[in-house]
Amino acid sequence: MQIDKLRGEQLDQLFDAILTLKDREECYRFFDDIATMSEIHAISQRLQVAKMLTEGRTYTVIEQETNASTATISRVRRCINYGSEGYKMVLDRLIDEEK
């Protein structure tokens, strides 16, 4: 995993902090303080791109609907195909919650 390069006490503390959040409103409050609007937008955009890619949408449609660059779409595609299956895990859980 790429993130192994960052693994350590600081990243553990961040993830532990995220795991303490109880609901969407707490997420809004925490991420408003910890990240810039651009950082939050980029992360949420990548998740939307991943969702659309797994649904079989084309790069053109994804680019038009999300305003993501083709470079971002390609990077997300690479993570889906060769990554740690984080997108798959989260998207599967979101689908299960919708049922």
Side-chain angles (χ1 to χ4, degrees):
M1 286 190 288
Q2 292 180 49
I3 202 164
D4 283 338
K5 297 173 189 169
L6 300 176
R7 192 178 293 264
E9 189 175 333
Q10 280 186 318
L11 194 55
D12 287 351
Q13 185 177 22
L14 171 63
F15 291 157
D16 289 345
I18 292 169
L19 289 169
T20 69
L21 300 172
K22 293 179 177 69
D23 56 32
R24 186 176 291 146
E25 185 58 33
E26 286 189 2
C27 289
Y28 273 101
R29 291 172 54 197
F30 179 69
F31 281 91
D32 188 43
D33 285 347
I34 201 167
T36 66
M37 297 303 294
S38 294
E39 291 165 336
I40 295 166
H41 173 74
I43 292 168
S44 64
Q45 182 184 63
R46 288 182 201 127
L47 182 60
Q48 184 62 29
V49 167
K51 182 177 185 286
M52 294 175 79
L53 284 169
T54 60
E55 293 170 346
R57 306 276 187 93
T58 65
Y59 275 42
T60 303
V61 169
I62 295 169
E63 192 176 13
Q64 290 171 349
E65 290 187 20
T66 66
N67 293 318
S69 67
T70 55
T72 296
I73 298 168
S74 294
R75 184 185 186 290
V76 172
R77 165 66 76 196
R78 198 167 41 256
C79 288
I80 290 170
N81 290 340
Y82 307 108
S84 302
E85 296 192 358
Y87 281 123
K88 180 180 180 344
M89 175 182 60
V90 168
L91 292 172
D92 287 348
R93 289 178 184 170
L94 288 172
I95 290 168
D96 287 345
E97 285 182 8
E98 289 176 2
K99 292 180 182 178

